[in-house]
Amino acid sequence: MPVISGRPLSGTALGDLYVAHRLALVRLAMLLVDDRASAEDVVQDAFAGLAGQRGGLRDPDAALAYLRKAVVNRSRSALRRRRTARGYAPPRSIELARPDERAVLAEEHREILAAVDRLAPRQREVLVLRYWSGLTEAEIAEALGISRGAVKSTASRALDQLEQMMGGDHA
């Protein structure tokens, strides 16, 4: 059972954390791994990892930060496994099969998501965490294990590249 601030994280507290943040974490993972089943697996594994924490977490706010970092890291691992299993496969277009998925993403968003999918993995991670998840530079730096300066420069380069991919003048 994980410990927060010297107290065990009860099953109820873990359940409350799951109910409050699961959907946002699945959305984050979907943007990183590009398929719902893998995204749900990544998030489930992150919660299982939190439930199995023996040494505890530093402070009460650490649980959500732990989960975000775990989702990013497990998404990276899922992508590595996918690349290893399939070898090189060109980026696929976003195909939305279910009506609820089509309703979520309007046509103008598909073009942007396709461009984001063509970014380097680190650039994609920084932009997703910054603009979709709304994390601060410090939170992104912690989640990715890089400096704040690296977050800033990576985001800047990624936005420049997106602007080029999208045809330039979208300001």
Side-chain angles (χ1 to χ4, degrees), residues 94-166:
I94 297 174
E95 300 282 336
L96 301 175
R98 296 193 336 241
D100 61 331
E101 290 176 329
R102 281 191 297 259
V104 171
L105 292 176
E107 183 60 37
E108 63 270 11
H109 293 138
R110 290 184 192 160
E111 185 179 341
I112 293 168
L113 288 175
V116 168
D117 193 45
R118 292 190 305 267
L119 291 172
R122 174 62 49 92
Q123 290 177 333
R124 183 173 49 249
E125 291 166 357
V126 168
L127 290 186
V128 166
L129 291 171
R130 178 69 182 117
Y131 295 103
W132 190 86
S133 293
L135 299 185
T136 66
E137 290 169 353
E139 290 169 327
I140 296 168
E142 181 182 340
L144 298 179
I146 60 177
S147 70
R148 287 180 65 187
V151 170
K152 289 179 186 181
S153 63
T154 301
S156 177
R157 282 190 222 108
L159 289 172
D160 289 345
Q161 192 171 348
L162 275 179
E163 185 176 350
Q164 289 175 352
M165 283 190 253
M166 300 301 295

Side-chain angles (χ1 to χ4, degrees), residues 26-141:
V26 168
R27 288 179 184 150
L28 169 63
M30 280 183 63
L31 289 167
L32 296 173
V33 298
D34 194 29
D35 96 73
R36 186 177 185 133
S38 295
E40 289 175 347
D41 288 345
V42 161
V43 172
Q44 188 67 27
D45 288 346
F47 274 99
L50 179 61
Q53 282 285 321
R54 296 267 179 223
L57 300 173
R58 290 181 298 259
D59 61 61
D61 298 326
L64 184 55
Y66 170 90
L67 288 168
R68 280 191 196 115
K69 189 169 190 169
V71 165
V72 169
N73 288 336
R74 290 169 196 268
S75 294
R76 286 178 181 163
S77 295
L79 291 173
R80 276 193 301 273
R81 283 190 306 274
R82 186 184 296 170
R83 273 193 305 271
T84 301
R86 294 181 186 166
Y88 174 76
R92 64 181 177 88
S93 63
I94 297 174
E95 300 282 336
L96 301 175
R98 296 193 336 241
D100 61 331
E101 290 176 329
R102 281 191 297 259
V104 171
L105 292 176
E107 183 60 37
E108 63 270 11
H109 293 138
R110 290 184 192 160
E111 185 179 341
I112 293 168
L113 288 175
V116 168
D117 193 45
R118 292 190 305 267
L119 291 172
R122 174 62 49 92
Q123 290 177 333
R124 183 173 49 249
E125 291 166 357
V126 168
L127 290 186
V128 166
L129 291 171
R130 178 69 182 117
Y131 295 103
W132 190 86
S133 293
L135 299 185
T136 66
E137 290 169 353
E139 290 169 327
I140 296 168

